[in-house]
Amino acid sequence: YVEVANNASKTAGDEVNFSYDFPSDFKYAPISTATPINVGNTEAGRNVSVILKTVTTSKIEGTVKFNTTGDVSVAVNLIVIGIPN
């Protein structure tokens, strides 16, 4: 779980980068998914895209793109499956 925007005003097209360091390394880059969570339950928070940019044995990096203008509180839920090191 990574908080991306908390009571923030975003314009359509804005992007916010996020990253998460794994507590311990994986042997190989893990299989990873990321889904947005509309924490603030706003219209603008319902229309976002999550893009994973980099997944390594120790870290995941991505971007949340806001497709609608408005106030948002958005987080990203990460699911990561891999072989521990």
Side-chain angles (χ1 to χ4, degrees):
Y1 181 89
V2 178
E3 186 176 283
V4 176
N6 188 9
N7 293 324
S9 181
K10 296 294 178 188
T11 303
D14 283 356
E15 295 183 353
V16 175
N17 294 325
F18 67 89
S19 66
Y20 179 78
D21 294 319
F22 303 131
S24 60
D25 288 356
F26 289 94
K27 188 170 185 176
Y28 308 103
I31 297 169
S32 305
T33 63
T35 54
I37 302 169
N38 184 11
V39 178
N41 199 27
T42 62
E43 287 297 320
R46 289 186 185 131
N47 192 3
V48 301
S49 303
V50 178
I51 302 156
L52 290 180
K53 292 183 172 183
T54 306
V55 179
T56 66
T57 57
S58 61
K59 185 177 193 174
I60 188 167
E61 297 176 317
T63 300
V64 174
K65 182 176 181 182
F66 297 90
N67 301 314
T68 304
T69 299
D71 294 331
V72 296
S73 290
V74 173
V76 174
N77 190 42
L78 300 171
I79 298 175
V80 180
I81 301 171
I83 299 170
N85 195 9

